[in-house]
Amino acid sequence: MPTMWQRPQREERLPLLVPLALLLGVTALFVSPSDAACTFIGTELNCAYQSLTVVPANISASTTRLLLNNNLITIITNTNFLSLTNVNFLDLSNNRLAFLPSNVFLGMISLYELDIYLNQIVGIAPGAFNGLPSLASLSVSRNRITSLANSSFAGLSKLSSNYIFTVTTLHRLRGELLRV
């Protein structure tokens, strides 16, 4: 038990969070794969600032807003978001992502806004944004993108080019990136 001057350890603080969570209307509080507390309020899952290194597994299909920003996530795969058809906002900003593989957001048919700025992305695979018919806002600024494959943004008919070309370190573009 901590003295008056000692900060409680994580496991001693967790029981104190449950009554507070209930008071604030939090419907679920769970521990992620890297022992970080995420909160699920309404249909928003907030895992921001939790030092996550991977995308949490078993995210509820009812989630509409997914906040994974300000973590240590280095890799996302095409299975991380496959069942998240209701998510309309995904924030992966300020992580350590280096590459977006093909079909990585497949299944996210309701995704309207995607924030992947302030990562370490150097490349985007062809088809990385496949299956995103609702995407209208994409922020990729403050990355290290040096080249893009032909048709990197193909099929994103609702996306404004203003959002794409906020990439500040883009050195080389190949092909017609927005060809649909």
Side-chain angles (χ1 to χ4, degrees):
M1 189 71 169
T3 66
M4 184 185 321
W5 305 106
Q6 292 176 320
R7 184 175 179 196
Q9 297 297 316
R10 182 189 243 332
E11 54 275 355
E12 293 171 334
R13 291 183 304 205
L14 194 56
L16 300 174
L17 289 176
V18 174
L20 178 62
L22 292 173
L23 182 65
L24 295 174
V26 176
T27 57
L29 182 67
F30 64 92
V31 178
S32 76
S34 63
D35 196 28
C38 298
T39 55
F40 193 73
I41 302 174
T43 59
E44 177 180 281
L45 180 60
N46 187 343
C47 294
Y49 298 96
Q50 298 300 316
S51 299
L52 295 174
T53 56
V54 296
V55 175
N58 303 317
I59 296 172
S60 171
S62 66
T63 302
T64 60
R65 292 180 52 87
L66 181 54
L67 307 177
L68 295 169
N69 53 299
N70 297 287
N71 281 295
L72 305 171
I73 299 170
T74 56
I75 297 172
I76 53 177
T77 69
N78 60 2
T79 59
N80 288 135
F81 308 110
L82 197 54
S83 63
L84 301 179
T85 59
N86 293 314
V87 171
N88 57 46
F89 177 79
L90 174 59
D91 190 347
L92 283 163
S93 63
N94 202 15
N95 275 285
R96 295 183 179 171
L97 298 174
F99 185 72
L100 296 181
S102 296
N103 300 315
V104 70
F105 302 108
L106 200 62
M108 301 188 85
I109 58 172
S110 300
L111 190 61
Y112 180 83
E113 185 174 349
L114 174 59
D115 291 336
I116 51 175
Y117 63 90
L118 201 59
N119 275 282
Q120 299 168 7
I121 299 170
V122 293
I124 299 174
F129 301 107
N130 282 347
L132 299 177
S134 302
L135 192 65
S137 173
L138 172 63
S139 178
V140 294
S141 63
R142 300 191 65 189
N143 278 288
R144 299 175 181 174
I145 300 171
T146 56
S147 65
L148 296 169
N150 290 337
S151 303
S152 288
F153 300 98
L156 299 178
S157 58
K158 292 187 178 181
L159 187 64
S160 166
S161 62
N162 295 337
Y163 291 103
I164 296 172
F165 298 106
T166 58
V167 180
T168 56
T169 59
L170 188 60
H171 300 292
R172 180 174 42 132
L173 294 176
R174 294 182 303 163
E176 294 179 29
L177 298 176
L178 291 172
R179 181 179 291 170
V180 281

